[in-house]
Amino acid sequence: MLYDLVIKNGTMVTSGDQGRLDIGIKDGVIAALAPSIDPELATEVIDAQGGYVTPGGVDAHVHLAQEFNSGPSGGAGMCADDFESGSRSAICGGTTTLIAFAMQNRGDSSLLQVVEDYHAEAMKTGSYCDWAYHVIISRPDMQMLKAELPVLVDQWGITSVKLFMTYAALQLSDYQLLDVMYEARKLSITTMIHAENGDLITWLTGRRLLLTHLTVEKLEEKGMIDPGYHAESRPPIVETEATSRAIVLAEMIQNPILFVHVGSATAAKVIRDTQSRGYPVYAETCPQYLHLTWEDLASSPTALKRFHSPQCFENSKMICSPPPGPGKSDQEALWTGLRNGTFTIYSSDHCPFRYNDVRGKAVGVLEHAASMADVTCPIDNEHVQEIVHGKTGHFKYVPNGCPGVETRLPLLFNYGVERGRITVERFVELTSTAPAKMYGLYPKKGALLPGLSDADLVIWYPPGRLDEFSLTNEHLHHDTDYTPYEGMRFGNWPRYTISKGKVVWKEGALLGSPAAGKYLKRAASQFTKAAVESIASDPARVATWLYQ
């Protein structure tokens, strides 16, 4: 047979166009696009019945098989998903490529060892889809950076690093941010920034003795420590200030940057204004910022204070950083940013922690001495409900993050494309093509180019073919015991997911294997590489002598 698989009668969509084309697949690669391909030439044929056919999703922001220390006595949250379960969930939601984070802790002196250890975790379980790595740098020793960053690029194909401006275990000073940006620029490494002012968050949160007097009464002194108050410790200005400061640092040394999980309208405006004057700054937003709010609004089924009251510990399920905005106005501004190009990519920031797990959200109670004062039961999962029941816990010890790798594409398709907020071409750009270009995977991923692109595809249901349903956690395939999008309505979902020419998800049935995915070495970002050469050398803004 000329083709292993032919997809007929679909509306093929790329980031720039759409049309009624049949797709021929051979040896895991797109082999042909044509108005009509004879089904007799194929071993297998799928009739798309008029549904959209889009490139498989590229989720460039997922956390898998990671431990996060968040408590004063060393209590740590553990991601509910490893590479097997996280990738399983991904393909069931139409994502066929993942980029996860190898995380350096303060005690890790070698980035290469960090990557090798993390890769060993991935290989233990395998992955249903192809994957790659970013590296989180928390200990930017200059000798290590100079010696190891080139090796990460050349041997591992790791061409992106993530830097934090918050979290005590990860936060870098401005001096350290500049060190990493400077070295990254030399190698065309994409610099990703988690922009929140860590000192502001600590000040707003915390009880700290200054000589013999308490500082100004802040959240802890007022007893406002329950999960519902998490957002009060990091109002939007916390993200906005850090975003502005990171742009100043990056511009001074001529380094393009990408802001991850932008959650506020004010931070998005700073980014948009910088883009408007020509500086290459990029941004990512995520579903939680389009669908969650601080308050339990009557019109919103999902909110940080959704469960009963701010004092209810179950609200810890919704804790992520930055938090979503306080109301609908931020959401509408972010939808505008998706349309007008402020946001280059749309990722899940899948960072899953089980609620009913002593290594999940319950860490927020276990690390809070006052909540644990009268606990007499064993500290294990069998008794986790007894441990957290009636306790406040403390928001600052709750592992930050929400599950979302499986719901990312359906949320944007149903609430973006089908409601007319974005075009289907823009949907493909945000979820597949731009992430592939940003992180050096294009055109192998994120495209449908014959002879060049892997046959990673999503076939959606034709209009009206799938009965609308309310989402529950039971619909999903992650190893997390909740979804923040419980109760939201969906009228479409990936009907088929195809990974390298193989059908791995078919009308609600999982067909893939965790042995199918392969590690991907990446090239430099198409955006970053070009941008470095185009930045104006204004001596009022740039230390031009650095590169003379």
Side-chain angles (χ1 to χ4, degrees), residues 47 178 221 253 282 378 441 521:
D47 185 352
L178 288 166
E221 287 81 55
I253 61 170
Y282 308 98
L441 292 171
K521 293 180 67 175

Side-chain angles (χ1 to χ4, degrees), residues 167-436:
Y167 298 134
L170 298 169
Q171 182 176 343
L172 302 184
S173 67
D174 289 358
Y175 192 103
Q176 291 172 316
L177 291 169
L178 288 166
D179 273 347
V180 181
M181 288 184 192
Y182 183 73
E183 295 303 317
R185 182 190 185 278
K186 296 176 185 177
L187 299 167
S188 295
I189 290 173
T190 301
T191 307
M192 308 161 70
I193 303 288
H194 177 135
E196 290 183 289
N197 185 314
D199 290 341
L200 262 178
I201 293 168
T202 300
W203 190 89
L204 288 169
T205 300
R207 183 183 298 273
R208 179 181 291 179
L209 290 173
L210 181 63
L211 298 178
T212 59
H213 302 284
L214 284 173
T215 60
V216 177
E217 283 196 358
K218 298 182 286 257
L219 289 171
E220 286 188 335
E221 287 81 55
K222 294 176 181 292
M224 299 166 66
I225 61 172
D226 314 301
Y229 293 111
H230 170 263
E232 321 288 0
S233 71
R234 52 232 313 138
I237 195 170
V238 167
E239 182 184 20
T240 305
E241 185 283 330
T243 300
S244 302
R245 177 159 44 96
I247 288 171
V248 169
L249 300 178
E251 187 168 4
M252 189 193 71
I253 61 170
Q254 300 175 290
N255 181 58
I257 53 176
L258 179 138
F259 290 99
V260 296
H261 50 50
V262 175
S264 67
T266 51
K269 184 179 185 304
V270 169
I271 292 165
R272 182 66 174 173
D273 290 346
T274 305
Q275 293 168 339
S276 295
R277 61 180 174 80
Y279 188 77
V281 58
Y282 308 98
E284 162 200 274
T285 195
C286 307
Q288 50 268 40
Y289 304 112
L290 302 174
H291 301 288
L292 305 183
T293 60
W294 285 14
E295 301 295 339
D296 192 4
L297 305 177
S299 59
S300 174
T302 50
L304 299 179
K305 297 178 182 178
R306 176 181 179 185
F307 299 102
H308 315 307
S309 72
Q311 289 73 34
C312 178
F313 187 72
E314 197 169 353
N315 288 309
S316 64
K317 291 178 177 179
M318 305 298 187
I319 285 182
C320 60
S321 292
K328 294 286 189 179
S329 61
D330 280 83
Q331 292 180 355
E332 290 307 315
L334 298 184
W335 279 111
T336 298
L338 288 176
R339 287 192 296 273
N340 68 19
T342 301
F343 295 111
T344 313
I345 61 176
Y346 168 87
S347 307
S348 69
D349 191 10
H350 179 74
C351 192
F353 298 95
R354 295 184 190 93
Y355 179 68
N356 290 307
D357 194 321
V358 295
R359 300 205 65 192
K361 296 293 186 177
V363 172
V365 170
L366 299 178
E367 289 292 310
H368 183 230
S371 291
M372 294 297 291
D374 60 348
V375 173
T376 57
C377 63
I379 309 302
D380 56 31
N381 281 337
E382 182 180 348
H383 298 85
V384 68
Q385 283 296 311
E386 185 179 349
I387 295 168
V388 302
H389 180 69
K391 307 297 191 304
T392 62
H394 196 314
F395 66 77
K396 74 179 181 181
Y397 303 137
V398 175
N400 279 218
C402 299
V405 69
E406 189 168 348
T407 47
R408 177 183 73 116
L409 292 187
L411 281 166
L412 192 60
F413 193 91
N414 282 268
Y415 288 85
V417 175
E418 296 205 334
R419 297 196 179 188
R421 282 169 159 156
I422 59 171
T423 65
V424 68
E425 293 89 349
R426 182 68 177 143
F427 169 86
V428 170
E429 176 75 12
L430 288 163
T431 62
S432 184
T433 305

Side-chain angles (χ1 to χ4, degrees), residues 76-120:
M78 185 69 193
C79 279
D81 284 317
D82 57 18
F83 278 84
E84 187 275 333
S85 63
S87 64
R88 178 184 68 216
S89 187
I91 64 170
C92 296
T95 289
T96 53
T97 304
L98 299 174
I99 310 182
F101 292 89
M103 183 170 68
Q104 180 193 38
N105 294 308
R106 298 285 199 204
D108 297 325
S109 59
S110 169
L111 290 175
L112 291 174
Q113 190 62 53
V114 166
V115 171
E116 289 170 7
D117 291 346
Y118 194 54
H119 189 59

